[in-house]
Amino acid sequence: RNTRLQHFSDRICRHPVLANSEVWRHFVTQVDHTEWTQGKRKAEIDQNVGIELLNIIDVPSVDEETKKNLEETVTNLSNNMTKIENALKNMISVANEQVGKHWKNQINDYKEIGKAFSSLGSAMSEEAPCLIHTGACYQDMSSMLEEQVMKDWETVQHIMQDYKAQAEGWQVILGSIAKATTESPVVDKTKYRIALNAEATFFKQELVVDMRTAGQVFLMEQIKFHHQVADRLRKVYHECWPYKG
């Protein structure tokens, strides 16, 4: 929870508008409990929330060509957000399976392999002492696996969960705006679309950075882990069959 709260706070602080919000500044800087509660209650009765917030912003006038482009941008955003949400859900499912099932099975497999070699080595300590070393090696690798899952897949989990929540929020926003612009003749469609496009630009900037980070961290941790496994196996091999040049 602390990690997710920190990610949320960092994201708000990077936002060009929300970072300067009076409500946000109150939330993160007010240390007096009574003052904090009063500020919370004030925010709760604010009517300019959700898409109502769009009605109080100022936007520049635009020509017809720009209006058309904005409409196409919103349509594409809606279509892409559905694809993004589905892809995120799939990745979360895979990550959860890796963390909860695959890795645990592999850890248990390494432990069982280690026990089997150790048991065999104990029964044949004079004939094949290297088997005990092999068993110890696999026991070590099971511990390495337990530590590894927090370094690669859990990082992916956190980022995907974060963006899944954002994608779901986008679907709500897009649906609300589509409904408002269809049902209400007084709604300024252009204003809504300009605001939506601006927010989408920020979202995409964040998305590019975070997805690249997720991929980079995952691959780097996988590389480091497999190097560690190879080094451990190589070490036990040379202990059992030292090179004689």
Side-chain angles (χ1 to χ4, degrees):
R1 292 178 63 183
N2 287 340
T3 299
R4 291 184 180 181
L5 176 60
Q6 186 63 58
H7 287 170
F8 170 77
S9 299
D10 291 344
R11 193 174 303 286
I12 296 298
C13 289
R14 290 194 299 269
H15 195 282
V17 177
L18 295 180
N20 297 306
S21 163
E22 179 184 345
V23 173
W24 176 248
R25 288 183 177 276
H26 179 84
F27 174 72
V28 297
T29 61
Q30 183 56 255
V31 294
D32 182 83
H33 179 70
T34 301
E35 291 289 335
W36 192 92
T37 302
Q38 290 175 352
K40 173 177 174 291
R41 289 172 179 166
K42 179 182 177 181
E44 288 174 341
I45 61 174
D46 188 349
Q47 298 299 310
N48 296 314
V49 296
I51 63 171
E52 293 299 324
L53 179 64
L54 301 180
N55 294 320
I56 63 172
I57 66 173
D58 295 322
V59 298
S61 59
V62 296
D63 56 32
E64 291 302 317
E65 183 64 24
T66 301
K67 289 181 180 180
K68 181 180 178 181
N69 291 337
L70 285 168
E71 184 177 0
E72 292 178 355
T73 298
V74 172
T75 300
N76 292 334
L77 176 63
S78 181
N79 294 335
N80 290 336
M81 197 57 64
T82 299
K83 295 177 183 178
I84 289 172
E85 184 178 10
N86 291 335
L88 288 167
K89 288 179 179 178
N90 180 64
M91 193 64 196
I92 290 170
S93 176
V94 171
N96 290 344
E97 184 175 0
Q98 290 293 319
V99 173
K101 179 182 176 182
H102 177 75
W103 280 100
K104 288 182 179 179
N105 289 343
Q106 196 168 356
I107 290 167
N108 290 333
D109 287 345
Y110 274 27
K111 287 180 178 179
E112 290 303 315
I113 292 171
K115 289 178 183 178
F117 271 106
S118 295
S119 178
L120 188 62
S122 296
M124 306 176 184
S125 57
E126 294 183 4
E127 294 82 0
C130 63
L131 297 177
I132 294 178
H133 295 300
T134 303
C137 173
Y138 273 85
Q139 292 288 350
D140 289 346
M141 289 195 299
S142 70
S143 298
M144 290 163 59
L145 274 169
E146 287 183 291
E147 297 173 1
Q148 181 62 25
V149 73
M150 294 184 290
K151 298 176 182 178
D152 44 32
W153 279 111
E154 286 194 0
T155 299
V156 172
Q157 273 185 318
H158 290 316
I159 293 177
M160 298 304 131
Q161 289 284 3
D162 184 359
Y163 274 92
K164 174 177 173 288
Q166 290 190 62
E168 290 172 346
W170 268 106
Q171 297 287 31
V172 173
I173 292 170
L174 290 165
S176 298
I177 290 179
K179 182 179 180 181
T181 54
T182 300
E183 297 180 354
S184 176
V186 298
V187 165
D188 187 340
K189 296 180 181 180
T190 301
K191 174 184 285 192
Y192 279 26
R193 287 165 181 161
I194 290 175
L196 200 61
N197 187 59
E199 186 61 30
T201 298
F202 175 75
F203 172 76
K204 290 176 182 177
Q205 290 173 349
E206 293 283 292
L207 182 73
V208 168
V209 173
D210 287 336
M211 291 302 154
R212 287 181 177 178
T213 298
Q216 183 181 26
V217 169
F218 179 78
L219 288 177
M220 183 55 65
E221 289 298 336
Q222 285 279 299
I223 291 169
K224 287 161 59 177
F225 171 69
H226 288 292
H227 273 311
Q228 291 171 353
V229 169
D231 289 343
R232 187 65 184 88
L233 291 169
R234 193 176 293 111
K235 179 182 177 183
V236 73
Y237 179 87
H238 289 301
E239 286 175 351
C240 295
W241 297 278
Y243 174 72
K244 296 178 181 180

